[in-house]
Amino acid sequence: MTDLLAKLYPDHLAALKQRSDAALARGGHDHLVIAAGQPRIQFLDDRPYPFAVNPHFKHWLPVTKAPGSWIVYTPGQRPKLVYLQPHDYWHVVPDAPAGYWVEHFEIAIIREADEAKAHLPKDIARCAIIGEDSAAIGEYLPNNPESVLNYLHWHRAYKTDYELGMMRVASKLGVRAHRAAEAAFRNGASEYDINTAYLNAVHETENELPYTNIIALNQHGAVLHYMDLNRAPPAHSNSFVIDAGASFHGYASDITRTYAAKQAGEFQALIDAVDSAQKSFVEKVQKGTNYADLHLHAHHALAGILRDQGFIRMSAEAAVASGVSSAFFPHGLGHPIGLQVHDVGGFQKDEGGGTIAKPPGHPYLRMTRTLEPRMVVTIEPGLYFIDMLLAELKAKPEAKDVAWDKVDYFRQYGGIRIEDDVACGETMPENLTRDAFSAV
Ligand code: GLY
Ligand code: MN
Ligand code: MN
């Protein structure tokens, strides 16, 4: 794998340079300066929050644990890494730079964060400095010029072959751990123990994962971002929603599966219907598909499932128009993914900026762009039985066309979400997640 990444890296770097040249020209800057960032310290304490590197930094290098380091890129020149390796016996000092990327950089090692100043461009006014305010050293305060960021964020949607390679690995790591978690569920483990099984298999600390695992048994599946981990197993584990990913050199996977226990056949039937609908949405991850349209199409398809399985007695069209489908599917179909699990630029109109509005009534959609080859998005439809939303629905006129006995019976199962990471191709989508499930 490392050999393949080494082979793909030079083209990735060339693409970043080309994008940066154009971004700097738009903003009228001469240098792109990227701060990795500094750990944040907890209030009245000496304990840092987990360090999350600036995604712009890890775009250039497979390095995620280098607080206080900087990248400087000046068009026409070799990029420079200003690399902080403090003299420190309290903490682990970042490893010496090593690997396929090193030969492409000019590297300056510094021992104190402030020493970076000597290696950054002298004319600060000509710098686009990307980072958090807390990364500032002296006059080098991040200015995050909008025109530069808009251009970079727009193009970040198009993954290079190197990035697709990284994301395939992140998917495989996540899927391997999903298998271990499913086995733990089938053995009746608690949420806490299922999570432990996941962590053991993924071989990443919780801080290294791209997001906090969602491990939800039974009705907990109705909490979209359920992040408690009950220590005790329920008397019967009838259903299981697991939304958990993995990181590989800073690239994320984001994977959700829903399982039913053998005795929960009626819930399995609903899972099967959502699963086949999900696969049909994945097939539409093709050049020219507008993501917001795909989201609305998913609402119609899921409303059709609710009608076919006897949860509602109205047409799919009526269920979508009246908002009934949103009571059962209250989040967006998915989002761009890459260096961040919810990657940037999902609403951007073009490389200059702007916003493509969400369809009215769909506030949680995270992507309105039209799909093009090399974009990677998640496709994550769901159907849930959420007390709060069902109570609201009960107060609406459409409540008369809801089969409440059936809906109420399904509350015990919480909900269903099925999520794959999908790369848009010229003619065919590449399902990174399902390919990984087939391979593992
Ligand atoms: N895991 C968060 C999400 O699916 O968007
Ligand atoms: Mn997601
Ligand atoms: Mn997810």
Side-chain angles (χ1 to χ4, degrees), residues 211 214 243-244 254-256 335 341 380 417 419:
Y211 58 93
I214 295 167
D243 184 344
D254 182 6
I255 304 167
T256 308
H335 48 86
V341 73
E380 50 179 304
R417 180 164 64 257
E419 175 174 32

Side-chain angles (χ1 to χ4, degrees), residues 26-353:
R26 279 177 172 253
H29 298 88
D30 295 337
H31 314 280
L32 183 66
V33 178
I34 302 170
Q38 284 291 357
R40 289 165 181 267
I41 306 298
Q42 298 181 22
F43 184 52
L44 298 181
D45 209 330
D46 59 0
R47 196 175 166 223
Y49 291 106
F51 176 68
V53 70
N54 178 350
H56 286 269
F57 186 92
K58 60 180 178 169
H59 208 183
W60 286 77
L61 308 167
V63 173
T64 56
K65 292 175 183 167
S69 295
W70 298 74
I71 289 168
V72 179
Y73 172 67
T74 303
Q77 294 180 22
R78 202 177 174 73
K80 187 200 283 186
L81 172 66
V82 181
Y83 192 66
L84 177 60
Q85 272 188 305
H87 288 302
D88 183 352
Y89 60 85
W90 290 93
H91 306 101
V92 170
V93 174
D95 290 336
Y100 51 80
W101 55 273
V102 169
E103 64 184 279
H104 300 277
F105 281 77
E106 181 191 327
I107 298 177
I109 305 286
I110 55 172
R111 301 300 181 186
E112 309 239 359
D114 247 28
E115 287 171 28
K117 282 186 250 175
H119 301 278
L120 301 182
K122 295 287 160 282
D123 192 350
I124 297 178
R126 309 294 309 154
C127 292
I129 307 178
I130 312 299
E132 290 184 284
D133 286 353
S134 56
I137 43 166
E139 308 279 294
Y140 293 90
L141 176 68
N143 53 358
N144 296 310
E146 207 175 88
S147 55
V148 174
L149 283 185
N150 282 344
Y151 189 90
L152 294 177
H153 288 174
W154 172 264
H155 287 278
R156 204 160 106 187
Y158 305 96
K159 270 57 180 184
T160 62
D161 288 338
Y162 171 78
E163 294 182 287
L164 292 172
M166 297 286 215
M167 294 186 74
R168 287 183 195 111
V169 178
S171 297
K172 284 199 180 115
L173 295 172
V175 158
R176 193 172 65 193
H178 267 254
R179 288 287 193 220
E182 184 197 352
F185 158 68
R186 303 237 180 251
N187 279 331
S190 68
E191 292 167 347
Y192 184 88
D193 289 336
I194 294 172
N195 190 55
T196 303
Y198 188 93
L199 294 175
N200 284 338
V202 78
H203 240 244
E204 295 181 11
T205 68
E206 284 177 296
N207 291 338
E208 289 164 338
L209 293 176
Y211 58 93
T212 305
N213 289 347
I214 295 167
I215 306 278
L217 293 173
N218 298 343
Q219 65 276 23
H220 293 159
V223 181
L224 297 184
H225 282 175
Y226 177 83
M227 290 181 286
D228 285 1
L229 292 169
N230 271 4
R231 278 21 173 205
H236 301 283
S237 289
N238 290 324
S239 60
F240 175 37
V241 174
I242 168 168
D243 184 344
S247 300
F248 185 67
H249 292 329
Y251 285 85
S253 60
D254 182 6
I255 304 167
T256 308
R257 287 294 181 269
T258 305
Y259 300 102
K262 282 207 180 67
Q263 64 272 20
E266 69 267 338
F267 188 56
Q268 186 63 55
L270 190 57
I271 296 174
D272 292 344
V274 174
D275 190 62
S276 66
Q278 192 268 3
K279 286 194 257 184
S280 75
F281 309 152
V282 167
E283 276 170 31
K284 296 186 194 300
V285 177
Q286 293 202 31
K287 186 175 170 171
T289 299
N290 176 264
Y291 197 89
D293 291 345
L294 187 54
H295 168 85
L296 294 175
H297 166 75
H299 265 267
H300 283 89
L302 293 167
I305 291 172
L306 290 171
R307 189 204 49 217
D308 293 348
Q309 299 216 1
F311 292 93
I312 57 174
R313 298 178 288 262
M314 65 187 86
S315 69
E317 288 63 36
V320 176
S322 60
V324 170
S325 64
S326 294
F328 294 94
F329 175 36
H331 59 74
L333 181 63
H335 48 86
I337 180 170
L339 288 163
Q340 291 167 265
V341 73
H342 296 154
D343 218 354
V344 292
F347 304 110
Q348 221 170 298
K349 202 154 115 222
D350 54 39
E351 59 190 21

